[in-house]
Amino acid sequence: LGVFYRPPNSSREIEEQIGRQILEKCRSNRVVVMGDFNFPNIDWNLLSANGLDGADFVRCVQEGFLTQYVDRPTRGEAILDLVLGNEPGQVSNVSVGKHFGDSDHNSLTFTI
């Protein structure tokens, strides 16, 4: 189980580091990764990024055979908060709730 926070407008180097860390763990482990990744330009239905920001992360998801389970916006109209797993059916009952405390993101609940 891993948790990541990627600040908005992070460098490509940060995106690449996150991707490398995730892929390293995916090679020999059952993995669930969650967090605020701040990729508003990734279309999770098409698994594509509109522009360079997020393109490396999409490749990481594909190479790691990860499934992204959040299907509703978590901040405004964007899915910024993700739950990813590398084994089919590993994550279930994903629900996007109300804001948590003073956060401008919605809460997520799920079952592993």
Side-chain angles (χ1 to χ4, degrees):
L1 179 63
V3 179
F4 284 90
Y5 172 70
R6 177 188 166 270
N9 304 313
S10 293
S11 68
R12 289 205 49 176
E13 181 181 332
I14 297 295
E15 181 179 350
E16 291 168 0
Q17 287 176 357
I18 290 171
R20 279 194 304 272
Q21 290 176 15
I22 292 171
L23 285 174
E24 180 182 316
K25 294 299 180 187
C26 285
R27 286 188 179 92
S28 60
N29 299 288
R30 291 174 47 190
V31 173
V32 173
V33 179
M34 61 185 165
D36 178 0
F37 288 87
N38 281 303
F39 287 119
N41 60 333
I42 293 178
D43 182 329
W44 290 105
N45 292 319
L46 299 175
L47 197 54
S48 66
N50 182 13
L52 292 177
D53 189 38
D56 287 331
F57 191 73
V58 167
R59 276 192 292 281
C60 165
V61 169
Q62 292 169 328
E63 290 175 21
F65 300 100
L66 293 162
T67 300
Q68 200 292 108
Y69 290 95
V70 180
D71 62 0
R72 291 190 25 228
T74 59
R75 182 176 186 268
E77 296 300 314
I79 299 175
L80 302 181
D81 305 277
L82 310 176
V83 178
L84 303 128
N86 67 345
E87 187 173 288
Q90 179 177 26
V91 176
S92 61
N93 303 316
V94 177
S95 177
V96 177
K98 295 182 180 186
H99 293 259
F100 186 77
D102 292 335
S103 176
D104 58 353
H105 291 243
N106 292 18
S107 62
L108 288 173
T109 59
F110 56 94
T111 304
I112 300 175

